[in-house]
Amino acid sequence: MVEVNLWSGLRALTGGKQVVEVEASTVGEVLSGLVKAYPELQAPIEAGVSVAVDGRIIASGLTEPVNPDSEIYLMQRLKGG
């Protein structure tokens, strides 16, 4: 299991939880695990999110590994200009 920290706008979709746990070993599994555990998260995740693992923003690597002790944050998509 990994712990995922959620931005405040998602907490209403997880019963007020700031941190949730999912079974995952990659960033892609984190996202699919979140949707499986909290189906209401599907729309925001499909709209686009950023995932930070141990302080690094994972741009497009759904196969990026995560560990049980990884610090994972689900954030609104970061856009550059």
Side-chain angles (χ1 to χ4, degrees), residues 5-75:
N5 297 272
L6 306 173
W7 82 81
S8 60
L10 296 183
R11 295 177 194 158
L13 305 176
T14 61
K17 295 179 182 176
Q18 177 179 347
V19 178
V20 296
E21 289 188 342
V22 295
E23 187 69 43
S25 60
T26 66
V27 169
E29 289 177 3
V30 167
L31 296 176
S32 62
L34 287 169
V35 170
K36 183 177 179 181
Y38 302 96
E40 299 84 4
L41 292 177
Q42 184 167 354
I45 288 173
E46 286 180 353
V49 296
S50 292
V51 180
V53 177
D54 296 327
R56 292 182 319 123
I57 303 295
I58 307 303
S60 60
L62 294 179
T63 59
E64 183 77 24
V66 296
N67 299 308
D69 63 342
S70 292
E71 185 175 63
I72 304 169
Y73 284 84
L74 187 67
M75 305 175 297

